[in-house]
């Protein structure tokens, strides 16, 4: 689903009001985020990036008029990982 950038920023106050805001990657100039937000009882996920320093002039969804979002749902997920063995 596509949302207008102006709607996300002005009406929903995103990315600041997002339920989840996770940093997914960093580069020399940018910090990349994944967010989840609610809209009319449904939940959506999208990405944005912002400048890594105060000198970088980059804000969420620069250069975009519409933002691609995917409807998501919350599910329990089992994850296996290697941990130190207790002796």
């Amino acid at each position: 689903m596509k949302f207008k950038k102006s709607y996300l920023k002005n009406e929903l106050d995103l990315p600041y009001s997002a339920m989840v805001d996770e940093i997914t990657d960093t580069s020399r100039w940018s910090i990349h985020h994944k967010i989840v937000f609610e809209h009319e009882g449904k939940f959506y996920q999208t990405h944005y990036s912002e400048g890594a320093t105060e000198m970088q002039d980059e804000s969420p969804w620069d250069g975009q008029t519409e933002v691609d979002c995917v409807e998501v749902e919350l599910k329990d997920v089992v994850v296996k990982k290697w941990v130190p063995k207790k002796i």
Side-chain angles (χ1 to χ4, degrees), residues 5-6 20 26 56 80:
K5 175 178 88 169
S6 59
V20 175
T26 59
Q56 272 33 76
K80 288 186 176 184

Side-chain angles (χ1 to χ4, degrees), residues 8-24:
L8 294 179
K9 292 183 90 169
N10 300 329
E11 301 298 320
L12 299 183
D13 194 28
L14 291 175
Y16 310 107
S17 68
M19 299 172 61
V20 175
D21 188 342
E22 175 185 324
I23 294 174
T24 58

